[in-house]
Amino acid sequence: MSLGFCRNNYVKIANMKIIIGNWKTYLDSPKEAKSLFEKYKILSKKKNVALMLAPSHIHLLPLRSSYKGKSLSFVAQSLGFSGAHTGCTSARQIKETKVDMALVGHSEERARGLDDEGVAKKVQEAHKSKILPIIIVGEHKRDSEAEHYKFVRKQIQSALKYYPANKPLKFIIAYEPVWAVGAAKPPSARDIEMMMIYIRKTLVKLFGDRKGRSVPLIYGGSVNSLSAASILSLQEVSGVLLGRASVDAKELEAIISKIK
Ligand code: PGA
């Protein structure tokens, strides 16, 4: 089942836990990608799980075109613009491969030079191309002054500044504190919950109660089979974005097994 842009799918997903596997560039060969993909196909059949796969673009196309099922969804790791943009994959090209979701603003992309304005333009381009953006926000560090809340709020406001306020909100917000990506462990469940409540309030302020509450919020950054259950049980958390655990079949299976 693809969450995509279809309204019914979007409503349906609200009752499921979203698990996104961000394969980054962990897998070199198409053979490795194909073999892990087979595992994803099996795991995607589990009830109450919306399993989504974000391979690098070179693996995305063959995997997407070989897939005839409905339970697994595909996500591009990034999207770009059409025209003279060497080395990019445009939102429209992604859409043409029947992929209708994309990560926007991952910290690893921001570290390569993508700024807040670039994120906002990509969100706009995604919307125009009918691709659902998974907008990634998160602070670089935490301090005692709770500046990280303000930082995340500004990232959200900026990412959505071109988003048409009169339209239904078709995006997901992924909170990924940069310091927790690729780290030993995630923040405590309580810290994650506090930030998620804050993000929810930010969305409600921006778009009103009904619309602000319709946006799925997910967490990413060092999620593994030990931390997944407590994170997934948080009220405001609709799912998790996995990096390393997404290319470890055993870990992935263990995480999915926590979903009832
Ligand atoms: P990690 O990566 O799970 O390996 O920390 C998460 C991500 O970058 O999305």
Side-chain angles (χ1 to χ4, degrees):
M1 178 253 337
S2 171
L3 167 54
F5 241 69
C6 166
R7 199 171 158 67
N8 291 343
N9 284 344
Y10 196 69
V11 170
K12 199 163 153 196
I13 208 135
N15 305 319
M16 303 170 102
K17 289 292 178 195
I18 298 168
I19 308 284
I20 306 177
N22 175 10
W23 289 5
K24 308 193 181 189
T25 51
Y26 286 130
L27 307 177
D28 297 332
S29 73
K31 204 168 150 207
E32 271 178 291
K34 178 93 180 55
S35 142
L36 186 58
F37 179 55
E38 293 304 319
K39 185 78 187 174
Y40 269 70
K41 283 201 235 173
I42 298 167
L43 293 173
S44 70
K45 302 219 167 89
K46 184 158 180 207
K47 228 176 113 200
N48 297 336
V49 174
L51 185 59
M52 304 178 187
L53 167 66
S56 49
H57 289 163
I58 202 149
H59 293 149
L60 181 62
L61 175 59
L63 296 182
R64 177 67 194 99
S65 43
S66 73
Y67 185 64
K68 305 280 177 268
K70 286 201 180 338
S71 51
L72 188 58
S73 302
F74 295 80
V75 178
Q77 287 183 13
S78 168
L79 61 79
F81 304 90
S82 303
H85 301 286
T86 305
C88 293
T89 306
S90 73
R92 285 194 241 154
Q93 288 170 329
I94 291 165
K95 186 72 185 179
E96 286 292 324
T97 64
K98 299 197 164 46
V99 171
D100 49 15
M101 289 186 279
L103 304 182
V104 175
H106 190 284
S107 57
E108 286 154 12
E109 199 185 353
R110 292 183 193 253
R112 291 195 300 272
L114 177 67
D115 60 11
D116 282 348
E117 180 63 18
V119 171
K121 293 229 166 89
K122 283 184 184 225
V123 170
Q124 184 185 38
E125 185 68 12
H127 186 80
K128 278 195 214 150
S129 308
K130 296 199 174 351
I131 287 186
L132 185 125
I134 298 156
I135 304 168
I136 305 176
V137 295
E139 77 281 0
H140 293 263
K141 58 177 173 48
R142 286 205 169 185
D143 53 37
S144 52
E145 300 300 322
E147 282 296 312
H148 53 284
Y149 288 108
K150 268 193 236 160
F151 183 86
V152 167
R153 187 188 68 220
K154 281 192 190 142
Q155 277 189 325
I156 293 174
Q157 284 169 332
S158 169
L160 296 170
K161 70 178 177 191
Y162 303 127
Y163 200 90
N166 55 342
K167 295 269 158 63
L169 302 183
K170 294 195 170 179
F171 55 82
I172 292 174
I173 299 278
Y175 169 56
E176 280 207 335
V178 182
W179 55 270
V181 174
K185 57 180 175 71
S188 69
R190 185 178 152 71
D191 280 354
I192 295 174
E193 177 72 335
M194 302 245 301
M195 179 58 89
M196 291 307 201
I197 291 170
Y198 184 79
I199 292 175
R200 179 66 71 209
K201 283 187 182 155
T202 301
L203 292 170
V204 166
K205 262 196 199 144
L206 284 174
F207 299 102
D209 199 59
R210 192 181 55 81
K211 281 167 84 175
R213 288 188 191 285
S214 71
V215 177
L217 307 183
I218 64 175
Y219 170 79
S222 294
V223 179
N224 59 24
S225 57
L226 296 175
S227 55
S230 61
I231 296 172
L232 284 166
S233 69
L234 298 171
Q235 215 194 331
E236 285 289 5
V237 172
S238 292
V240 285
L241 176 52
L242 308 173
R244 287 156 294 170
S246 74
V247 289
D248 179 332
K250 281 208 183 101
E251 271 294 281
L252 181 72
E253 185 166 1
I255 291 169
I256 291 183
S257 74
K258 318 269 180 212
I259 299 168
K260 300 290 166 240

